[in-house]
Amino acid sequence: MSARMLFRGGRVVDPSQKLDAVHDVLLVDGKVAQVGKDLAAPEDARVVECAGLVVTPGLIDVHVHLREPGGEHKETIASGARAAAAGGFTAVCAMPNTDPPIDDPAAVGFVAAEGRRAGAARVYPVGCISAGRKGERLALVGEMVEAGAVAITDDGSPVMNSGLMRLALLYAQAFDIPVADHPEDLGLSGKGHMNAGLVATRLGLPGKPNAAEDIHIVRDLLLAELTGGHIHLQHVSTSFGVESIRQAKARGVRVSAEATPHHLILTEEAVEGYRTEAKMNPPLRTAADRDAVRAGLADGTLDTLATDHAPHHYDEKEAAFTDAPNGIVGLETALGLVLTHVVGEGVIDLSSMVERMSCTPARTFRLRGGSLAPGSAGDVTVFDPEAAWTVDPARFHSRSRNTPFGGWKLKGVVRWTVVRGKVVFEG
Amino acid sequence: MNQTAPALGKDLVGLEPLSREQILAILDTAEPFKEISERRIKKVPVLRGKTIVNLFFEASTRTRVSFEFAENRLSADTVNIAAAQSSVSKGETLVDTARNLEAMRIDMVVMRHGSSGAARFLAERIPSNVINAGDGSHEHPTQGLLDMLTIRDHLGRIEGLKVCIVGDVLHSRVARSNIFGLLKLGAQVAVCGPPTLVPRNVRSLGVEVFTRVEDAIQWADVLNILRLQLERMEAGYVPSLREYNRIWGISRARLERAPRDILVLHPGPMNRGVEIDSDVADGPQSVILNQVTNGVAVRMAVLYLLAGGQPERAEAAKQGGEA
């Protein structure tokens, strides 16, 4: 492995430096050394010809489920880190809703160590907000941060107790980490299995109304305002939710928020025929909601693109709809979906895409990367924006195949994923 | 209709995917089959040699027995499996249950399951014909068909009639099959019940919504009264069965205020004194037992058609011809 690497002649898109030009990028000793035109290749450098390709700061997904420990039949930290690299991600944040949950420093250390051992995308552990994810009392937040946790969340479940959420938003400020929440009022969403809309009424499936998400988003925004803490709202799917976040940002509330590729592209109609591969939480909603999520992504209200990569074994999804678990895999389809159906349909431009998939996530979660400015981490993604491919779940690096996008024809193929100056995926 | 094309597809999962013509074909085919049940020897060889599995994951007496009679009177060989005594209780998945049955070379499965979509799930995974005998809150197509046959028997038509479904529409597979089927046959359809048990967007399916049962009675030619399950009260959708009866129960006194005689249906089993009072259930406007009788004929028709029978050959098939 060469200590020096030169990406030559690619279109370098790095909003952190307001850069979008054909440039060279030189990595030395795992860091960005130089960005500019016609850089001379050091003698021992590996030269990567990037003509016609796009070179960006490594993509970062702040919301993935790697299932280890406890769900290794769905995914492991190693397989998830490889799937991330194959999808062009140089770093992922692993959600703590494992079995047992990641709620103490030893568990955080395990995730970090397994991530390093995988030698693919960086794996940043996220710890639980509450001990045991029970929603009762704070987990060992400070010690988890010392062990490497970059945020806290009880994702998979919302924090229903507003008093606990208030404490979390206060306490986390001592460590300068975001508190991420899965916004859902369980009393309202109850036994729902899809969006509470016309499709649910026709199919005879119990629904989750938008209000279940909206109420919780508004509550979290009020608590962030009350405490001055940083709330990170996960997978926003509703029109009112987007508007509430927009208004809160205008008031100066410290809020960051995610949009997922599936909520940007699909609607509740994808569930027709009881397709369990389109079952996720929050559910796919109406076209009006999807358009609002798109508008939120476009104006920066939703500042982060995250996949909510949620692997499940095919046996688990091969079931009656109400018996199947929520979630879809996302790491290996995200870039193609976003390039084809979000950038390709004019929702955002390429630069904004890099902002939402790299720069902002790095800033929000205080991670390395997110920039190709000299001195930054040598985390780089290189992709061919025009190359076409067809999604074939059988070829995923992930252990799971649960995607509603199988067979979709997409544009955008990852050529190199580079972490700390080292190639972790070559496509 | 093409002489050789099957009148139905491989399966009967619901009435929503069927055309008006297909629904009418089933109802018309049921007519000649009614007579079999009136014979002294109630058996014809229409499905001789066919193997049918009645796979009931939820308790059912009426529907299961009705299917069994229909199958037996058409000379099919049948096996009944109830979830409590099957390998399902040992943790076997639905898809494994289906594949195991298939491996024994069966021809048809009649399935009742607690999950919406379960019938379609099964139908997509096995080559046998699948008949949905009720899947969760989705559909109960043979119930919808026998309701329509009963209405047609008594009022001579479906088109233009005003049919109101009263009760727990939210959780009712009977309601959905009635709505889909009746609308296709040109009826006007309404629903009436506590707002907690009527989906708010049900209007988008093309039905009217009444909250007050008195208004529904003023409007309707036919009332189809749904069973109120005790668990709905336990889950808090209605505060008490007594209150439900006072506000939405169908009583003789309420029916007497109607501008015309209303035909009364109920899919059973009835909770007398809850959704329907005994003086209505046993009264002259009730056709509840006719529904039960028609259920056997409708199910015979469905079995015959899915086995490849032609509607216009049903009479001949009864005499001993092959389906």
Side-chain angles (χ1 to χ4, degrees):
Chain A
M1 181 50 58
S2 166
R4 294 165 193 248
M5 203 168 172
L6 181 72
F7 299 89
R8 190 150 68 190
R11 175 180 169 191
V12 178
V13 181
D14 179 9
S16 79
Q17 312 177 65
K18 299 199 171 16
L19 181 63
D20 184 350
V22 173
H23 268 4
D24 299 343
V25 177
L26 177 67
L27 305 185
V28 176
D29 295 334
K31 289 191 172 169
V32 179
Q34 241 186 315
V35 178
K37 277 191 198 305
D38 303 322
L39 300 182
E43 239 173 61
D44 58 346
R46 173 175 174 184
V47 177
V48 177
E49 294 297 344
C50 295
L53 306 180
V54 173
V55 180
T56 74
L59 305 181
I60 298 171
D61 187 347
V62 299
H63 191 156
V64 304
H65 298 270
L66 301 186
R67 304 300 189 202
E68 188 179 358
E72 291 84 353
H73 62 297
K74 302 170 193 256
E75 195 80 284
T76 62
I77 292 169
S79 67
R82 285 195 298 271
F89 291 97
T90 55
V92 295
C93 295
M95 294 297 111
N97 61 332
T98 49
D99 183 16
I102 308 303
D103 68 346
D104 67 20
V108 167
F110 166 77
V111 173
E114 286 299 303
R116 275 193 300 275
R117 217 154 64 92
R122 298 176 194 257
V123 177
Y124 291 108
V126 175
C128 290
I129 291 172
S130 67
R133 285 181 74 243
K134 292 194 178 122
E136 290 164 3
R137 48 194 303 277
L138 285 179
L140 298 166
V141 176
E143 292 186 10
M144 288 196 294
V145 171
E146 286 177 351
V150 298
I152 50 173
T153 184
D154 275 359
D155 180 43
S157 315
V159 175
M160 284 301 295
N161 180 334
S162 302
L164 176 66
M165 195 60 177
R166 179 190 183 194
L167 291 179
L169 282 162
L170 285 168
Y171 195 65
Q173 291 177 61
F175 313 101
D176 198 26
I177 55 166
V179 178
D181 199 16
H182 162 119
E184 177 180 3
D185 186 311
L186 296 175
L188 269 173
S189 58
K191 298 182 185 112
H193 287 274
M194 67 172 296
N195 184 48
L198 189 56
V199 178
T201 297
R202 280 185 32 248
L203 296 182
L205 288 170
K208 297 176 185 241
N210 283 26
E213 183 171 337
D214 297 339
I215 285 171
H216 206 96
I217 285 176
V218 170
R219 183 208 71 170
D220 280 352
L221 292 169
L222 291 171
L223 291 175
E225 200 160 14
L226 173 69
T227 58
H230 174 177
I231 186 77
H232 177 78
L233 290 164
Q234 300 179 301
H235 42 52
V236 176
S237 74
T238 64
S239 159
F240 185 86
V242 173
E243 180 54 30
S244 303
I245 296 164
R246 186 176 286 126
Q247 291 173 11
K249 283 192 166 182
R251 290 199 303 276
V253 178
R254 290 179 65 204
V255 52
S256 51
E258 297 169 0
T260 70
H262 44 278
H263 291 116
L264 285 161
I265 294 168
L266 299 175
T267 62
E268 61 180 2
E269 278 78 23
V271 176
E272 281 290 354
Y274 300 94
R275 290 186 62 203
T276 59
E277 64 268 42
K279 179 178 179 180
M280 68 260 312
N281 191 21
L284 297 170
R285 300 204 190 264
T286 63
D289 291 306
R290 180 197 55 194
D291 293 347
V293 171
R294 287 182 163 214
L297 185 77
D299 72 8
T301 300
L302 306 181
D303 44 61
T304 301
L305 258 162
T307 66
D308 191 9
H309 178 78
H312 290 294
H313 194 268
Y314 75 86
D315 278 349
E316 297 162 325
K317 281 285 195 179
E318 180 89 348
F321 197 84
T322 49
D323 297 331
N326 285 306
I328 66 170
V329 291
L331 284 168
E332 295 172 76
T333 49
L335 182 63
L337 286 168
V338 171
L339 283 169
T340 310
H341 291 286
V342 181
V343 175
E345 292 172 22
V347 178
I348 55 174
D349 61 15
L350 199 55
S351 180
S352 296
M353 183 196 89
V354 177
E355 181 91 51
R356 310 267 188 279
M357 294 182 81
S358 177
C359 310
T360 305
R363 207 167 49 241
T364 306
F365 282 68
R366 291 98 179 158
L367 310 176
R368 293 172 203 85
S371 174
L372 294 177
S376 305
D379 292 9
V380 183
T381 302
V382 181
F383 59 87
D384 182 337
E386 296 302 323
W389 62 293
T390 302
V391 178
D392 177 6
R395 301 184 59 186
F396 285 166
H397 294 72
S398 168
R399 283 202 173 176
S400 291
R401 317 260 172 269
N402 50 308
T403 175
F405 298 111
W408 280 42
K409 292 187 183 356
L410 302 177
K411 273 179 18 171
V413 171
V414 178
R415 294 296 182 216
W416 287 279
T417 307
V418 178
V419 176
R420 299 182 191 89
K422 181 174 168 244
V423 174
V424 294
F425 176 80
E426 195 161 353
Chain B
M1 182 167 286
N2 188 315
Q3 282 286 318
T4 53
L8 300 177
K10 178 175 87 71
D11 313 293
L12 180 66
V13 167
L15 299 188
E16 192 184 20
L18 297 191
S19 67
R20 168 191 168 84
E21 289 68 32
Q22 286 174 310
I23 293 172
L24 285 172
I26 299 170
L27 299 186
D28 293 345
T29 305
E31 292 295 344
F33 282 117
K34 283 179 181 172
E35 172 264 334
I36 296 168
S37 299
E38 306 303 328
R39 296 183 187 179
R40 198 171 57 82
I41 296 175
K42 301 176 174 54
K43 211 166 185 87
V44 296
V46 171
L47 294 183
R48 194 169 46 200
K50 297 276 185 192
T51 310
I52 303 178
V53 175
N54 298 311
L55 184 57
F56 278 69
F57 291 90
E58 277 186 352
S60 159
T61 303
R62 182 174 327 242
T63 302
R64 182 177 53 76
V65 168
S66 180
F67 267 108
E68 271 184 66
F69 277 134
E71 293 155 2
N72 292 338
R73 288 172 192 179
L74 296 180
S75 306
D77 298 315
T78 63
V79 174
N80 296 317
I81 301 176
Q85 66 196 45
S86 79
S87 46
V88 174
S89 57
K90 300 170 193 162
E92 188 175 77
T93 65
L94 177 55
V95 69
D96 283 335
T97 303
R99 286 179 186 149
N100 277 280
L101 290 172
E102 195 64 41
M104 294 183 227
R105 304 291 179 258
I106 56 166
D107 297 297
M108 292 190 185
V109 180
V110 175
M111 184 172 77
R112 155 88 43 109
H113 196 282
S115 298
S116 300
R120 178 173 171 147
F121 179 90
L122 188 69
E124 286 172 348
R125 282 164 182 79
I126 62 173
S128 303
N129 308 107
V130 173
I131 300 174
N132 182 6
D135 62 328
S137 304
H138 177 224
E139 283 220 47
H140 189 354
T142 55
Q143 180 71 45
L145 289 163
L146 73 89
D147 290 347
M148 290 190 282
L149 185 64
T150 307
I151 293 169
R152 196 173 73 169
D153 281 355
H154 287 85
L155 301 178
R157 65 193 167 102
I158 302 280
E159 192 155 0
L161 288 178
K162 294 174 172 171
V163 182
C164 184
I165 301 157
V166 184
D168 179 7
V169 177
L170 183 65
H171 298 97
S172 175
R173 49 195 174 214
V174 176
R176 281 173 186 73
S177 286
N178 266 274
I179 290 169
F180 296 137
L182 287 165
L183 288 174
K184 286 182 194 218
L185 296 195
Q188 288 180 262
V189 181
V191 298
C192 175
T196 46
L197 291 173
V198 175
R200 276 190 58 230
N201 55 15
V202 73
R203 280 188 185 83
S204 306
L205 298 179
V207 309
E208 290 195 48
V209 177
F210 294 106
T211 301
R212 286 165 41 88
V213 78
E214 293 83 0
D215 296 339
I217 286 170
Q218 287 300 309
W219 176 85
D221 300 309
V222 179
L223 292 182
N224 197 344
I225 304 164
L226 302 173
R227 169 181 170 78
L228 186 81
Q229 291 181 308
L230 190 61
E231 65 205 67
R232 304 304 170 218
M233 188 196 77
E234 286 160 357
Y237 288 98
V238 293
S240 84
L241 298 182
R242 191 176 54 85
E243 176 165 315
Y244 183 87
N245 178 258
R246 283 177 66 93
I247 300 175
W248 287 281
I250 304 299
S251 63
R252 183 99 183 223
R254 281 196 166 127
L255 283 187
E256 279 170 357
R257 297 207 189 89
R260 59 188 89 88
D261 276 352
I262 293 181
L263 197 69
V264 173
L265 289 81
H266 190 299
M270 288 185 283
N271 294 310
R272 289 169 179 259
V274 181
E275 72 271 3
I276 186 167
D277 285 0
S278 288
D279 53 11
V280 174
D282 304 327
Q285 290 157 261
S286 163
V287 291
I288 295 168
L289 292 176
N290 305 71
Q291 290 173 268
V292 177
T293 306
N294 276 342
V296 179
V298 154
R299 289 172 179 125
M300 282 193 216
V302 168
L303 292 164
Y304 166 75
L305 293 172
L306 287 180
Q310 294 296 320
E312 61 281 356
R313 292 191 38 78
E315 191 63 53
K318 272 166 52 184
Q319 312 308 324
E322 289 298 309

